[in-house]
Amino acid sequence: MSVSRISSRSRRLNKAQKLSVAGVSTLAAAALAFSLVPDDASATTEPQAASAAAPVAYTGSQTQSLKATGLGQNTTDQLVKSVDAAKAEEAAAKKKAAAKAEAKAKAVAEAKSKAAAKKKAEAKAKAAAKKRSAEKASRAADRKPVYANNLDGWIREALAIMDKKDIPGTYEGLHRNIMRESSGNPRAINNWDINAINGVPSKGLLQVIKPTFDYYHVKGTKHDQYDPVANITAAANYAADKYGSIDNVDSAY
């Protein structure tokens, strides 16, 4: 054999090898798809199976099938690595999805927990406010002054009520008029003046008649002309309306 013929054959062999290397991926994919198709599959479905096989993540037995295709150790190793990479990618995607779902569930649980804690705190604050209000009312009741059952006590209690009702008057003005009208006797009654003649005698500490007492009666006091505090407040209310204040009264009114 001549050197030129050997050289020509070497060139042809090298060209064939290059074509083989260029098409190794296509041949390998086709061989892989062929090895995974069931024995009873029809010839018409083989091309479809080959095209669909590329993105599949293979099992261990399918990986062994790759090694039995006879494609060569390097090609088989590359295919096995591709399968392992696809499986790893799929596992990572599942893990990421699971972590996302877990984070979402945790966020929902935390939101519910915060809402429940807020509701509980609001209820607790409301109960505490109610308790403080009750305690305040109780302390106010405990601090309610106790007035002496005498002229000084009656005047002071009447002044406290007058202050709340915005009825003007001072201790001096009340005491001065009481002493002139009844000398401090809450049961005093006038049976001789024109009012008595008309059937409506003046009564009590500040000697008010029944119609005047009824009209100027201060709510919260007894509806009784002889009651010292009720008599004083009604008379002071009447004097404020007619004279500006009980302090401005210095004679019969």
Side-chain angles (χ1 to χ4, degrees):
M1 183 181 293
S2 66
V3 175
S4 60
R5 292 178 65 184
I6 293 173
S7 180
S8 175
R9 181 179 296 178
S10 297
R11 285 195 298 272
R12 289 196 299 271
L13 183 59
N14 289 338
K15 185 177 181 180
Q17 289 175 340
K18 290 178 180 179
L19 290 172
S20 177
V21 170
V24 67
S25 298
T26 304
L27 291 173
L32 174 60
F34 179 79
S35 68
L36 297 177
V37 175
D39 293 339
D40 57 350
S42 65
T44 57
T45 61
E46 290 180 1
Q48 296 177 353
S51 63
V56 176
Y58 302 104
T59 64
S61 62
Q62 291 172 330
T63 303
Q64 293 298 323
S65 297
L66 290 175
K67 295 179 179 180
T69 59
L71 295 176
Q73 187 62 43
N74 290 338
T75 302
T76 301
D77 289 344
Q78 289 177 1
L79 292 174
V80 169
K81 287 180 180 179
S82 296
V83 170
D84 290 343
K87 290 171 68 177
E89 185 177 353
E90 182 182 6
K94 288 182 178 180
K95 185 176 180 181
K96 184 177 180 181
K100 186 176 181 181
E102 183 180 357
K104 184 177 180 180
K106 185 177 180 181
V108 171
E110 288 179 351
K112 289 182 178 180
S113 178
K114 287 181 179 179
K118 183 179 179 181
K119 187 175 181 180
K120 184 177 180 180
E122 288 175 350
K124 186 176 180 181
K126 187 176 181 180
K130 186 176 181 180
K131 183 179 179 181
R132 287 194 299 270
S133 179
E135 290 175 348
K136 184 177 179 180
S138 178
R139 288 194 298 270
D142 292 340
R143 291 196 300 267
K144 185 177 180 180
V146 177
Y147 299 99
N149 188 26
N150 55 33
L151 181 58
D152 178 72
W154 301 330
I155 293 175
R156 292 186 185 282
E157 185 174 356
L159 284 171
I161 295 171
M162 289 164 59
D163 182 60
K164 292 179 180 179
K165 302 294 184 177
D166 292 325
I167 300 172
T170 63
Y171 187 100
E172 186 278 329
L174 290 173
H175 186 270
R176 171 167 42 85
N177 282 283
I178 287 171
M179 296 308 294
R180 186 188 67 252
E181 295 291 332
S182 65
S183 299
N185 178 13
R187 304 298 299 180
I189 182 171
N190 185 327
N191 288 315
W192 54 267
D193 65 4
I194 187 64
N195 291 319
I197 294 172
N198 292 331
V200 284
S202 301
K203 297 180 180 180
L205 290 175
L206 283 171
Q207 294 291 286
V208 293
I209 61 176
K210 186 70 164 56
T212 300
F213 177 83
D214 290 342
Y215 187 83
Y216 289 99
H217 173 258
V218 175
K219 188 176 180 180
T221 63
K222 293 181 180 179
H223 206 94
D224 178 4
Q225 278 180 269
Y226 287 117
D227 180 79
V229 175
N231 188 282
I232 293 172
T233 54
N237 197 20
Y238 165 76
D241 184 35
K242 298 299 181 181
Y243 305 102
S245 171
I246 190 70
D247 295 348
N248 298 330
V249 178
D250 290 309
S251 61
Y253 60 107

